[in-house]
Amino acid sequence: MEARERSSLCSIIILFFCLWSTAYGLLSPKGVNYEVLALMSIKNSLIDPHNVLNWDETAVDPCSWAMITCSPDGLVTGLGAPSQYLSGTLSPSIGNLTNLQLVLLQNNNFSGHLPSEIGRLSKLKTLDLSNNFFTGEIPSTLSNLKNLQYLRLNNNSLYGPIPPSLPNMSQLSFLDLSYNNLSAPVPAFHVRTFNIVGNSLICGAEEECVGFIQTPQSLSLNNSQNSQPSGNGKGNKIALAIGSSVGCICLLFLGFGFLFWWRQRHNQQIFFDVNEQRQEELNLGNLKKFQFKELQVATKNFSNKNLIGKGGFGNVYKGHLHDGSIVAVKRLKDGNGSTGGEIQFQTEVEMISLAVHRNLLRLYGFCMTASERLLVYPYMSNGSVATRLKAKPTLDWSTRKRIALGAARGLLYLHEQCDPKIIHRDVKAANILLDDDCEAVVGDFGLAKLLDHRDSHVTTAVRGTVGHIAPEYLSTGQSSEKTDVFGFGILLLELISGLRALEFGKSANQKGGAMLDWVKKIHQENKLELIVDKDLKNNYDRIELEEMVRVSLLSTQYTPSHRPKMSEVVRMLEGDGLAEKWEASQKAEATRSRAYEFSSSERYSDLTDDSSLLVQAMELSGPR
C-alpha cells in the first residue's frame, strides 16, 4: 500500500513538472525541449567538418553543449561559433531561440539568405555574421530588434537597398555593413559608429567609397547633390574633353592615381579611414596607431633587459617613447592574424577602448603589421600584485583591502556596466596591476576578445592559470561571469596569504591540493591566523580578515549559481549584505548536505592536484 502511494505521488510530481515546463514553453507536449529542436535544426542545416557542434539531439538540456551559453534558469542566451569553418545555411529555426541575447557566427563559410526569422529575437543585443558568404537582401525584420546594440554584417555578398526601417533600432550603437554589394538610398542612422565602405553601388568608384561614413549631415548633403540636374554637367564634360590637351589629361590621370595610392596607404593608419575632420571623433579613447619601428626603438628591440612580464598571451616590455613617456608594450603571441584581418582587429581594439574605468588598464594604442600585433598601455610603476606581494616593504593590510575592492569594481564594470560585457577568464594577482598610488588596475581583460578569432576552433579548451580555474570551466570549457567570481575568490586568498594559489595549497600541506576545504575548516575552527601573510605579523584587522575569508568562500562555491555576482561582491567588501548572504549560504549548504553527501576533496582536487601538473603555474593553451 505504501509503495503504491509513493508511486502515485511520483507520478503526480512528474505530471506537474511536464505541465509546468510545457506552460513555460520549454517542452513540447511530447516532452521535447523546443530549444533543443531549434538548435538541432540549425546544426542539420550546416556542414561541420571538425565536428565542433557535438550536440546530442536526445538531450533534454542544451546548456552543457559546446558553443552554447545559458542563463541561470537554463534558457539558451548565447550561440557563439566564430571561425569554426562551418558552411551551409543558417536555419530559420534560429527564430525559435527567443531568449538569445548574443549570436557570434563570424569568420565562417555560411551562404544563402539571412533568415527573416532573426527579427523574432527580441532580446538580442549582439549579432555578428561578418566574414561569411551570405547573399540576398538585409531582412527588414531586423528593425524589430529594439534591444540590439551591436550589429556586424560586413564582408558578405548582401545586395539591395538598406531597409529604411533599420534606423528604428533605437539601442543600436555599432553598425558595420562594409564590403557588400548594397545600393542606395542609405537611411540616416543615429549610431555612434557606422561603417559602409566597400559598397561601390552606394558611393561610386572604390576610391570614393573608402572612408564613407553616413551621418544625418552627410545624408542631406548627398541628397541635395543627387537632386541637381545632370544635363549641364554632361555638356561641360564634352566641352572640357574637346578643349583639353592630351598632356593635361595624362597629368590628371597621374594625379588621381597618386591620390588613390596615397589613400590606400593612409587607410591602414586609422579606423575606418574617415576624413580628417571626423578622424578624432571616431578614434574612440584617443587611441594611437604606433609604427612598429617606433616600438622597437622604445623597447630597445624588445630586449630582455626591458622584459617586465610574461604570460599566455605574450611578453610585456617597458618602453620609452620619443616624447619621454614610459609605456608597457605587450607583444601578442600568434600575431599574424591569418583568420582575423586588419579591420576586425582594429574594430575589436576600438570596442575594448570603450571600456574605460579607473580600475581597468587603459589602452594607449596599438601596432599592427603583417606578422605582429602589439598593444601599448601606460606603465604601472608598482608592477603586479603578485610581484608586489613578494617585495619589500610588504603591503600593509589596508592597502590589500583597497586592492581587493578596486579589482572587484573593475570586474563589476566588465560584467555589468560594459557593453558588450567582457569576461576576463584569468583573474589572478599577476593580472592585477598597481599604479603610483597602489590603486588596483585590472589588466589583460581585452585579450580574450582579441585572440578568440584565431583560437576558437577548439572553443572547449581552457585558458587560464592552474589554481584559479573554476571547476565548471575546467571540466566543460564553458565560462561565464561566475568563472571570474571564482578567480576573484582565489585572488582574495592570495592577498591574505601573500602566496600564489598553488603555493598556498602546498603551504597548507593538503593532499591533492584541496586548499579551499582547508580554508573552510580553519574558518570553522576560528584559526584564520594560520593563513595570514607572516610578513603582516599582527598588523591586520581580525574582523576584516574574517569578512574577506567569507567573501572568498562564497565566491569559490562549487556550483556557479551559488556564487554571488560581482555587484554583490563589491557590496559585501564595502560592508553591506555580507552577514545575510553568509547566513543564507550556510543554511543552503546544510540543506544540501542532508540531501546528499559527496567528497569535496574530489571536487577541487582537479584544480590544484600536483600529481597531474608538470609545472606549478602552468598557462593552459586554447581560447579564452
Side-chain angles (χ1 to χ4, degrees):
M1 186 69 179
E2 183 179 347
R4 186 181 302 170
E5 290 178 356
R6 189 182 298 113
S7 175
S8 300
L9 180 61
C10 290
S11 301
I12 293 172
I13 292 174
I14 293 172
L15 178 62
F16 174 78
F17 174 76
C18 290
L19 291 174
W20 179 87
S21 300
T22 303
Y24 279 86
L26 294 177
L27 302 181
S28 69
K30 294 183 178 181
V32 180
N33 189 318
Y34 281 122
E35 294 186 325
V36 170
L37 290 176
L39 289 168
M40 291 307 302
S41 178
I42 291 172
K43 177 183 178 180
N44 292 336
S45 67
L46 300 177
I47 299 173
D48 180 9
H50 300 297
N51 194 31
V52 294
L53 303 180
N54 54 345
W55 301 345
D56 180 9
E57 62 183 344
T58 63
V60 176
D61 178 15
C63 293
S64 61
W65 293 356
M67 318 296 173
I68 300 299
T69 304
C70 287
S71 64
D73 50 356
L75 300 173
V76 175
T77 57
L79 172 59
S83 305
Q84 301 301 318
Y85 304 99
L86 300 174
S87 58
T89 60
L90 183 57
S91 170
S93 297
I94 193 174
N96 295 332
L97 298 171
T98 52
N99 294 290
L100 276 177
Q101 299 178 27
L102 176 74
V103 174
L104 299 176
L105 298 175
Q106 68 270 27
N107 301 315
N108 283 293
N109 299 307
F110 285 96
S111 57
H113 291 196
L114 296 177
S116 60
E117 287 78 3
I118 292 179
R120 293 163 51 185
L121 306 178
S122 59
K123 299 179 182 179
L124 196 63
K125 295 181 179 179
T126 299
L127 176 62
D128 192 341
L129 302 177
S130 60
N131 291 283
N132 281 288
F133 298 95
F134 286 111
T135 59
E137 298 186 352
I138 299 175
S140 60
T141 54
L142 291 185
S143 61
N144 298 333
L145 305 178
K146 304 301 182 184
N147 292 307
L148 194 66
Q149 301 168 4
Y150 182 85
L151 174 60
R152 293 191 64 180
L153 300 177
N154 54 286
N155 295 85
N156 280 287
S157 299
L158 301 171
Y159 56 78
I162 301 172
S165 59
L166 231 55
N168 295 339
M169 296 184 288
S170 57
Q171 299 298 315
L172 195 64
S173 61
F174 185 98
L175 175 61
D176 192 347
L177 302 177
S178 59
Y179 299 100
N180 282 287
N181 299 309
L182 300 173
S183 56
V186 179
F189 286 95
H190 303 280
V191 295
R192 193 163 50 204
T193 303
F194 176 30
N195 185 14
I196 199 171
V197 304
N199 287 279
S200 58
L201 295 179
I202 289 179
C203 36
E206 182 65 20
E207 57 266 29
E208 298 175 8
C209 193
V210 171
F212 185 86
I213 302 293
Q214 187 69 59
T215 64
Q217 290 80 7
S218 60
L219 181 65
S220 60
L221 178 63
N222 290 339
N223 287 342
S224 63
Q225 291 173 342
N226 292 339
S227 64
Q228 294 177 354
S230 59
N232 292 337
K234 199 171 189 180
N236 291 337
K237 287 181 180 178
I238 296 173
L240 183 63
I242 295 174
S244 299
S245 66
V246 175
C248 289
I249 293 175
C250 291
L251 288 174
L252 188 63
F253 274 107
L254 285 173
F256 274 114
F258 176 80
L259 178 62
F260 176 70
W261 171 83
W262 179 84
R263 290 191 62 158
Q264 287 295 97
R265 285 181 59 85
H266 188 62
N267 184 43
Q268 300 176 2
Q269 303 300 316
I270 59 175
F271 287 122
F272 300 134
D273 193 26
V274 294
N275 58 43
E276 292 183 0
Q277 290 85 348
R278 300 279 298 174
Q279 178 180 344
E280 184 176 353
E281 180 178 339
L282 287 176
N283 273 337
L284 302 177
N286 295 318
L287 289 182
K288 176 182 178 181
K289 181 162 184 181
F290 290 87
Q291 298 297 323
F292 184 73
K293 186 175 181 181
E294 181 180 1
L295 298 182
Q296 265 187 315
V297 172
T299 59
K300 296 184 178 177
N301 199 25
F302 303 100
S303 168
N304 285 334
K305 293 181 179 179
N306 283 12
L307 185 65
I308 57 176
K310 289 184 177 182
F313 298 112
N315 295 338
V316 185
Y317 301 86
K318 184 178 180 180
H320 295 265
L321 299 179
H322 59 81
D323 62 0
S325 56
I326 304 176
V327 294
V329 181
K330 178 175 279 286
R331 194 178 190 183
L332 301 183
K333 291 181 179 178
D334 303 322
N336 55 27
S338 57
T339 62
E342 178 177 341
I343 291 179
Q344 174 163 350
F345 182 81
Q346 290 190 128
T347 302
E348 291 182 350
V349 168
E350 179 184 347
M351 293 301 293
I352 289 168
S353 74
L354 297 177
V356 179
H357 188 273
R358 64 178 296 183
N359 296 114
L360 295 180
L361 187 61
R362 184 164 58 91
L363 186 63
Y364 270 170
F366 67 100
C367 172
M368 179 171 49
T369 71
S371 59
E372 295 280 355
R373 298 286 189 269
L374 301 101
L375 301 174
V376 183
Y377 297 101
Y379 176 69
M380 294 286 121
S381 58
N382 277 307
S384 69
V385 172
T387 57
R388 192 65 186 80
L389 285 171
K390 301 289 186 183
K392 302 294 182 183
T394 187
L395 289 173
D396 59 53
W397 177 256
S398 61
T399 301
R400 297 183 193 217
K401 187 180 178 185
R402 192 171 77 249
I403 290 170
L405 186 56
R409 286 172 176 163
L411 291 172
L412 164 61
Y413 179 86
L414 292 179
H415 291 181
E416 302 178 34
Q417 297 163 3
C418 184
D419 184 26
K421 72 179 178 184
I422 297 175
I423 301 171
H424 193 290
R425 293 179 176 88
D426 198 11
V427 179
K428 59 180 179 179
N431 283 337
I432 308 298
L433 307 177
L434 299 174
D435 64 13
D436 294 342
D437 301 318
C438 278
E439 182 77 21
V441 178
V442 179
D444 276 3
F445 62 86
L447 294 182
K449 185 174 179 61
L450 287 171
L451 296 185
D452 269 356
H453 63 274
R454 283 191 284 277
D455 294 334
S456 55
H457 60 284
V458 283
T459 53
T460 55
V462 179
R463 185 183 288 277
T465 304
V466 173
H468 296 259
I469 306 172
E472 74 279 2
Y473 188 29
L474 192 65
S475 59
T476 69
Q478 301 237 340
S479 59
S480 68
E481 300 96 319
K482 296 302 180 72
T483 60
D484 283 356
V485 174
F486 185 95
F488 181 80
I490 301 296
L491 169 64
L492 288 180
L493 293 180
E494 290 182 300
L495 284 168
I496 293 169
S497 67
L499 300 172
R500 291 186 303 168
L502 290 178
E503 293 174 335
F504 183 69
K506 286 183 175 181
S507 70
N509 293 320
Q510 291 300 296
K511 233 180 179 182
M515 64 175 185
L516 291 172
D517 296 299
W518 183 73
V519 173
K520 187 181 297 185
K521 181 175 181 292
I522 65 169
H523 177 265
Q524 291 171 346
E525 296 174 353
N526 201 26
K527 297 179 180 179
L528 292 181
E529 66 277 0
L530 295 177
I531 64 170
V532 179
D533 189 346
K534 299 298 185 291
D535 290 336
L536 283 172
K537 302 181 178 172
N538 292 320
N539 298 321
Y540 61 90
D541 187 302
R542 174 76 192 198
I543 295 176
E544 291 178 348
L545 169 63
E546 179 158 355
E547 289 174 347
M548 284 184 68
V549 170
R550 285 187 173 185
V551 174
S552 174
L553 291 175
L554 288 170
S555 301
T556 53
Q557 294 181 89
Y558 183 78
T559 305
S561 60
H562 296 162
R563 300 172 204 151
K565 298 190 296 184
M566 283 311 304
S567 55
E568 295 174 305
V569 170
V570 169
R571 287 198 299 270
M572 288 188 290
L573 289 174
E574 292 173 336
D576 179 20
L578 175 58
E580 295 84 354
K581 193 78 175 177
W582 180 258
E583 183 179 356
S585 171
Q586 295 306 294
K587 287 181 179 178
E589 186 171 337
T591 302
R592 289 193 298 270
S593 63
R594 285 195 298 268
Y596 56 89
E597 292 183 7
F598 56 91
S599 169
S600 58
S601 61
E602 288 180 3
R603 292 178 295 170
Y604 288 109
S605 61
D606 58 347
L607 300 181
T608 55
D609 189 351
D610 291 340
S611 65
S612 65
L613 302 177
L614 297 178
V615 223
Q616 282 189 356
M618 184 176 76
E619 297 281 349
L620 299 181
S621 62
R624 287 167 52 131

